[in-house]
Every structure is written in C-alpha cells, then in structure tokens.
Amino acid sequence: MKLTATLALCASLLQAQKGVLPSWNDGPAKQAIIEFVRATTDKSSPQFVPPEDRIATFDQDGTTWVSHPMYTEVIFALDRVAELAPQHPEWKATPPFSAVLAHDREAMAKFTMKDLEAILMATHSGMTPEDFQSTVKRWLVTASDPRFHRNYTDLVYQPMLEVMKYLRDNGYKTYIVTGGGQDFVRTYAEQVYGIPPGQIIGTAVDTQYAFDKAGQGILIKEPKLLLNNDFAGKPEDIYLFTGKRPRAAFGNSTGDRQMLEYTQSGGGARLIMLVLHDDPVREYAYGPAQGLPDTKIGTFPQSLYDEAKTKGWTVISMKNDWNRIFPFGSTGSASRRKKSK
Amino acid sequence: MKLTATLALCASLLQAQKGVLPSWNDGPAKQAIIEFVRATTDKSSPQFVPPEDRIATFDQDGTTWVSHPMYTEVIFALDRVAELAPQHPEWKATPPFSAVLAHDREAMAKFTMKDLEAILMATHSGMTPEDFQSTVKRWLVTASDPRFHRNYTDLVYQPMLEVMKYLRDNGYKTYIVTGGGQDFVRTYAEQVYGIPPGQIIGTAVDTQYAFDKAGQGILIKEPKLLLNNDFAGKPEDIYLFTGKRPRAAFGNSTGDRQMLEYTQSGGGARLIMLVLHDDPVREYAYGPAQGLPDTKIGTFPQSLYDEAKTKGWTVISMKNDWNRIFPFGSTGSASRRKKSK
C-alpha cells in the first residue's frame, strides 16, 4: 500500500473511532475497548474470535447502574414489606420486618445478610414469575431516587450502554450477570439495556410447577435459593447458562472478582474492566480510598485494586474516563465543572 | 384480489410447501407443523407471535434420536466405568460398579435409579467440563450401536432435524430440553442439531470454581445434582434459562408431560407433539400398546396417549408420518416395504 493510501486509511479509521463510545474520554480505558474489539473481530488478527464465542458479561449493580447507598432491589423489597404488611399482622412484632415497618433506620443499618435474605424471600416468592414482574414494573414507574429525583431505571450509565451496543454491533452477545434477582432484572433489561430475558443470569429461587384453579400449568416462586449468583457463583452460572467462558467481563466489586479471573484465565485477547466510583460530584465515591474491608459485599477494596493492577485489568475512572454519566440531562464533565464553580 | 391471482398464490404456496419437511408424509402431523408456523409468523394472523417469543423446545432421547433399548449416555457411563476401573480397585467389590465390571447383565437389568445415579455421578464429575467433553467426543467417534452399526450421533431422526431447521428458518429459537446431561449433549448438539451450547437445557451437576496448578480459574464438576431436568423440572428449567414459555414443544414420554402442558397453558397457537415409537421394522415399537406403567421413565404409557387425545396434542406415528427415519442410507418406507416382503 502506498503511503498516501495508508494515511488516508488511518485518517478514516480515526474518523470512524471518533463516533464510537462518545461518552468516553480518550484514554487507556476507551483504547482498551476499541483495541480488544479490533483484535478479536478482525479476521486477519491472530487473536480473532469466531462469532459464536463472542460473549461479554456485565455485572449490574455499580457497573451498569447506580447501586449506592442501597441496592435498588433492596429498596423495592423494603417498599414491598410495607405494602404486604396488612396481610402479615405478625410482621409488626417480628424482626427484621418490624424494623422496616417502624422505619427504624438504626436497626435497618445493622441488618445482617440473614435479615436481608428473610426480607428478599418474603417479597420474592409465593407468586408466579409473571405476577412478580407485574409488581416490579408497577414499582419501577413510581419509585424515585431521592438524590437524582429520577426513576431507578434512568440511573444507568450511558458509557456502559454504549459499550454494550458497541460490542453487540461487533457480534458480541451481551449478558447481565448479577448478584441481584434474575426475575427482577428481567423485568426491565430488554428495555433498559437491550438484553433479552434469556441473557440475564442472576440470583434465582427455585420454582415449583403447579396447576392454577383453571387447571393451567404455572410456576410458583419458592422461598428457596437455587442459584446464588455472586462471587464464585458467577463463573459457575455463566458456564451453566452459556457453556462458554466470556471474552469480556465488566464488574465493580469483590462479587465480580471470580468472574473476571475466570474470563482472563481463558487466555488470548480478553477485556477485563472494573468501574471505580471516584466521582462524588456526578455520582458517588466509594472506592479503595475508603479503606473498606475485603469481604464487604458490593465494595471495591484495595486488594481488588491491587489485583487489577497486577493482572493488567483496566480500571475505569468514572471521573476521568466518562464525560457523561447518565443518559438524561446535561451531565457532561465540562458543563458540570462550569456549574460546580 | 382477483380470483386468478388468488389461485396463483395458492398454487405457489402449495409448491413452496412441497419442498418443506420432505421426510414427512402428508397427513395431520405435517399439516399441524405447517399451519402452526403460518399462524404464528404471518403478520396478518390473529395468532402472530413476535420473533423474540418464538421458542421451541425439544426433548432429546426418543424424540430427536434413538434411546432404545438403553439411553446413549448410560452406555457411555458404563463404558467409562470399565475405563476408569484401574483407578478404582474398590469398584470390583462395590455394587453397582461390580456388576458393570463383571458384565453381569442380569444384575444390570435390575439397576435402580440410585444405582444409575451412582454410576452417572462417578463418571460425570471430578473433572473440568472441558475434560469431560473431550472424553465424550473421543467416545462418540468410536462407540457404535449394535443394531444399526452406526455412531450414536448418526441415529438422529431426519424428520426432526427438518422440523428444527424449518422452525429456525421461520424465526424460532430451538432448544434441547433433556433429562440427559447438559454437558454431554453440549458436546455434539451444535454439529448434530445446529443448536449451540447456550440452548441446551439439561440435567446438571453443580460446578465448583477453583484454581488449577498454574493459578488459572477453572470449574470442576461436582458429584452433586443441581438441576434434575425431567418431569416438572423441564418447565422450571425452561423458565430459568429463557424467562419465557415455549410456543412449541416436542416430547415422547412421561418425562415430557409437564413441558407439554406448560407450553399449551400459555394459550394462543401452540404446537404440542409426541413421537410415538410404532415402527419395529425401521426403529422400535414401545408405545402405549406395550402396557407400560405410568411411572416408568422414558415411556409412552396409555395415560399419556389419552391426555394427548383429550388435549388435542399431535401424536406423530413414526411408521405412518415419516417416510425416512435417519439421515443415512435408504430408510424410506417404500424401499423398506419392498425389502421386508
């Protein structure tokens, strides 16, 4: 190829890249994504990946939408306890339900995993998946985040929506792999992320096949955990659902560590990314700088940061790598900085 | 539309249908398939189904390939017991393994479900899914069916391959939903049925995330049942994997009953089919005429036949509805009849 032709090609490639991932600032994170896609989809690349193996998995809470200061699904469950209370008079005197009904914030702040599990089970079982999803849908259009005054489904990260679409446009199949409830996320994932129900891998309770009064076959959600899709559960369930190892994986906390390790262990070109919450102005800051313990769920402790650096994973700085956080409004960093002056 | 135009359209539709499902004889079974596809894919049809809801589920053993007189996967497991015996000297004196190693057919014929489970667990766990699948692949190219003198993956039903393709050509996503092992079927399903690993729903053991000697993240198959994908387990797992209710379901035994009921209970146009093994010349005959008990696994007892008739399910007669059984050789009914005279 002549030099002029090469230069023309480079110019056109750069031009094409400009339109890609517009909410990402130029930098190592954006470059890592673009280079990974090039290396795995260019047929002449030694790291080419056939389309059927192009699998990308995304944690949800803190990775694709806001999960601070409380998981959205937990807020839903607490609201449901209040709504269901008339049918459960015993809850008034039964912890942990009593604390929720009394709005006892101090007691709620001390909830153990067992307390939360009791609340989740009571609000996530005893009905068909269809009825559960109707309840979630009703809640999602009315509930509002107290800081952003937006529905929770608005609080998704625009840059992650762009990565999902960019990967799909390049033949990747995108999955949500969440510690959250599979049926909860299925309610809105198609609309919000463009990801269909069959590509939502989440924590799941058992269902029981039964007949309704009309003799029709239905499923009933049981108060019994079937898949605990967090930590080691993530790679285990990814294999259960897909029969494959992901090529790209996105997380933000210790619950994603094994998914990221498992993805990288496949060898070849892999994209491993961690979202670092370091933007208290536009979102929140609760990264390694907070000195959080290694075992606390949903956190990004120093040990994870160190592992990322050692293994060459890409840490995404919300503050520096994203010029826009949410799809709504003017959340660009330039305009924000002007406003915050 | 003018009459002549209508007639021309009908003629061309009939012509198009002729090329469809060539191994199916004209009759109610073939018509049910074609009419279902028309009703659910024609945009002007009141029973139109949007592409994302077009899900068709197929049982495997006895529905898409030969499962008589023994499940292929059980034959594999018995062969594996012999192969693994040197590493398990204790098996020589431990039932049920001792019976397998002594080729004690009488004892093997009396194996309980618990015996079979012990054999399946011993041969299906303690390794990575990748190592398990390598073993299955090696076995599949050497093992041969004693009656047909063919590899087991050759013993698939050509008419069912045609239905799968016909449904896929019309926007349906096809799934195998099998009481057999998910990882076993995943080994060959893409090649044999054109169905990728992520669309195989099967009986599955737990896996355990671990590190290999090189520090790489791997999964190990554990001797612990996670999903028992038979009977009520089928609708439960279909929902777990897809978040949907199938529009079409194919089975051949009591283990498929709940999947078929669940599919029909969704209402609207549904295709519910049962393969009846009534062709002892070209394959086997072990249908309701054999007076089998309702509870025996893998059988088509009178009660299932009666339910099919009551609920309007289509029973496929292998003898009458299929002019060809296998993809190989000349197994057409005409040539068979000539030969058997």
Side-chain angles (χ1 to χ4, degrees):
Chain A
M1 207 189 289
K2 276 190 184 168
L3 183 65
T4 47
T6 310
L7 283 173
L9 180 68
C10 286
S12 96
L13 281 174
L14 281 171
Q15 189 57 35
Q17 281 192 12
K18 264 207 159 171
V20 162
L21 306 174
S23 300
W24 292 72
N25 292 322
D26 288 332
K30 182 172 180 172
Q31 271 313 309
I33 300 166
I34 289 172
E35 171 51 23
F36 167 78
V37 166
R38 192 208 56 76
T40 58
T41 60
D42 176 350
K43 280 203 169 171
S44 67
S45 159
Q47 298 180 306
F48 177 77
V49 174
E52 65 270 22
D53 289 337
R54 293 184 199 160
I55 291 195
T57 56
F58 292 81
D59 168 60
Q60 176 182 251
D61 291 292
T63 300
T64 62
W65 80 353
V66 174
S67 65
H68 202 76
M70 206 186 263
Y71 290 127
T72 304
E73 192 169 355
V74 172
I75 303 170
F76 162 76
L78 297 177
D79 284 359
R80 275 302 280 167
V81 167
E83 216 173 301
L84 293 169
Q87 296 160 48
H88 294 274
E90 76 282 7
W91 280 358
K92 269 191 188 160
T94 318
F97 303 97
S98 49
V100 179
L101 296 175
H103 305 283
D104 183 345
R105 281 169 183 279
E106 205 174 319
M108 283 161 70
K110 284 181 196 150
F111 275 171
T112 61
M113 277 310 291
K114 220 183 133 190
D115 292 331
L116 272 181
E117 206 178 294
I119 288 167
L120 287 168
M121 285 300 172
T123 53
H124 284 61
S125 65
M127 73 288 278
T128 66
E130 292 84 357
D131 285 345
F132 174 75
Q133 295 196 337
S134 299
T135 307
V136 175
K137 270 182 195 158
R138 266 202 321 274
W139 182 81
L140 284 173
V141 293
T142 53
S144 174
D145 178 86
R147 173 174 166 195
F148 295 101
H149 307 291
R150 285 274 173 175
N151 289 340
Y152 291 101
T153 45
D154 288 342
L155 301 183
V156 289
Y157 305 138
Q158 175 64 21
M160 294 308 266
L161 298 182
E162 291 169 8
V163 172
M164 287 178 175
K165 185 169 181 309
Y166 179 57
L167 287 169
R168 286 195 294 263
D169 287 347
N170 284 282
Y172 276 85
K173 204 165 170 178
T174 51
Y175 287 80
I176 295 284
V177 179
T178 174
Q182 187 184 38
D183 279 344
F184 185 83
V185 181
R186 276 175 171 171
T187 307
Y188 55 82
E190 181 115 48
Q191 192 194 331
V192 171
Y193 302 120
I195 299 185
Q199 284 156 237
I200 308 302
I201 303 173
T203 293
V205 294
D206 240 329
T207 55
Q208 183 78 46
Y209 178 73
F211 293 105
D212 66 10
K213 282 173 195 163
Q216 300 299 305
I218 56 168
L219 297 171
I220 300 288
K221 290 168 74 74
E222 298 285 303
K224 192 188 154 209
L225 196 62
L226 175 66
L227 301 176
N228 185 6
N229 194 52
D230 222 347
F231 300 94
K234 291 202 173 189
E236 292 161 16
D237 297 338
I238 289 170
Y239 181 77
L240 179 70
F241 278 74
T242 70
K244 307 249 179 185
R245 197 188 284 256
R247 286 280 161 176
F250 298 76
N252 81 306
S253 81
T254 49
D256 305 313
R257 179 177 260 156
Q258 290 85 348
M259 172 171 77
L260 271 47
E261 289 171 352
Y262 179 67
T263 301
Q264 187 173 38
S265 294
R270 308 271 164 171
L271 180 65
I272 320 281
M273 304 195 98
L274 275 165
V275 176
L276 178 64
H277 294 260
D278 59 356
D279 193 332
V281 178
R282 295 185 299 170
E283 205 241 13
Y284 294 101
Y286 51 95
Q290 271 60 35
L292 292 161
D294 210 53
T295 49
K296 194 167 184 301
I297 272 191
T299 62
F300 193 148
Q302 189 62 42
S303 70
L304 187 61
Y305 193 84
D306 295 343
E307 183 171 358
K309 291 290 154 193
T310 308
K311 297 190 170 170
W313 300 348
T314 303
V315 174
I316 300 164
S317 159
M318 290 182 80
K319 192 172 167 183
N320 300 318
D321 287 316
W322 292 355
N323 61 53
R324 183 184 192 95
I325 305 280
F326 300 117
F328 59 85
S330 165
T331 50
S333 52
S335 61
R336 172 182 65 83
R337 273 172 201 148
K338 255 183 239 163
K339 275 182 196 162
S340 64
K341 265 181 194 167
Chain B
M1 206 188 290
K2 277 191 186 167
L3 183 67
T4 47
T6 311
L7 283 173
L9 180 68
C10 287
S12 96
L13 281 174
L14 281 171
Q15 189 57 36
Q17 281 192 12
K18 264 206 157 173
V20 162
L21 306 174
S23 301
W24 292 73
N25 292 323
D26 288 332
K30 181 172 179 172
Q31 271 314 308
I33 300 165
I34 290 172
E35 171 51 25
F36 167 79
V37 166
R38 192 207 57 76
T40 58
T41 61
D42 177 349
K43 279 204 170 169
S44 67
S45 160
Q47 299 180 306
F48 177 77
V49 174
E52 65 271 23
D53 289 336
R54 293 185 198 158
I55 291 196
T57 55
F58 292 80
D59 166 61
Q60 177 182 250
D61 291 291
T63 300
T64 61
W65 78 353
V66 174
S67 66
H68 201 77
M70 205 185 262
Y71 290 128
T72 304
E73 192 168 354
V74 172
I75 303 171
F76 161 76
L78 297 177
D79 283 0
R80 276 302 280 169
V81 167
E83 216 173 302
L84 293 169
Q87 295 160 49
H88 294 273
E90 76 282 8
W91 280 357
K92 267 189 190 163
T94 317
F97 304 97
S98 49
V100 179
L101 297 175
H103 305 284
D104 183 344
R105 282 169 183 277
E106 207 175 318
M108 284 160 71
K110 285 180 197 152
F111 274 171
T112 62
M113 278 308 293
K114 220 182 132 189
D115 292 331
L116 272 181
E117 207 178 295
I119 288 167
L120 287 168
M121 286 299 172
T123 53
H124 285 63
S125 67
M127 74 287 277
T128 66
E130 291 84 358
D131 285 345
F132 175 74
Q133 295 196 337
S134 299
T135 307
V136 175
K137 270 182 196 160
R138 267 202 320 275
W139 182 81
L140 283 173
V141 294
T142 53
S144 174
D145 177 86
R147 173 175 165 193
F148 295 101
H149 306 292
R150 285 273 174 174
N151 289 340
Y152 290 101
T153 45
D154 288 342
L155 301 183
V156 289
Y157 305 138
Q158 175 64 22
M160 294 308 267
L161 297 182
E162 291 170 8
V163 172
M164 287 177 175
K165 187 171 180 307
Y166 180 56
L167 287 169
R168 286 196 294 263
D169 287 348
N170 283 282
Y172 276 85
K173 203 164 170 180
T174 51
Y175 287 81
I176 294 285
V177 179
T178 175
Q182 187 184 38
D183 279 344
F184 185 83
V185 180
R186 275 174 171 171
T187 308
Y188 54 82
E190 181 114 48
Q191 191 193 332
V192 170
Y193 302 119
I195 299 184
Q199 286 157 236
I200 307 303
I201 303 174
T203 293
V205 295
D206 241 330
T207 55
Q208 182 79 46
Y209 178 74
F211 293 105
D212 66 10
K213 282 174 195 162
Q216 299 299 305
I218 55 167
L219 297 171
I220 299 289
K221 291 168 74 72
E222 297 286 302
K224 193 187 153 211
L225 196 62
L226 176 66
L227 301 176
N228 185 5
N229 194 54
D230 222 348
F231 300 94
K234 290 201 173 188
E236 291 161 17
D237 297 338
I238 288 169
Y239 181 78
L240 180 72
F241 277 75
T242 70
K244 308 248 179 184
R245 198 188 282 257
R247 287 279 162 176
F250 298 76
N252 81 307
S253 81
T254 50
D256 305 313
R257 178 178 261 155
Q258 290 85 347
M259 172 171 77
L260 271 48
E261 288 170 353
Y262 179 67
T263 300
Q264 188 174 38
S265 294
R270 307 272 164 171
L271 181 64
I272 321 281
M273 304 195 97
L274 275 165
V275 176
L276 178 64
H277 294 260
D278 59 356
D279 193 332
V281 178
R282 295 186 299 172
E283 205 240 11
Y284 293 101
Y286 52 96
Q290 270 62 39
L292 292 161
D294 210 55
T295 48
K296 195 169 184 303
I297 272 191
T299 63
F300 193 148
Q302 190 62 42
S303 70
L304 186 61
Y305 193 84
D306 294 344
E307 183 172 357
K309 290 291 153 192
T310 308
K311 297 190 170 170
W313 301 349
T314 302
V315 174
I316 300 163
S317 159
M318 292 182 78
K319 192 172 165 182
N320 301 318
D321 287 316
W322 291 356
N323 61 52
R324 184 186 191 95
I325 305 281
F326 300 116
F328 58 84
S330 165
T331 51
S333 51
S335 62
R336 172 183 65 84
R337 276 176 198 142
K338 254 184 238 160
K339 276 181 195 161
S340 64
K341 266 183 190 165

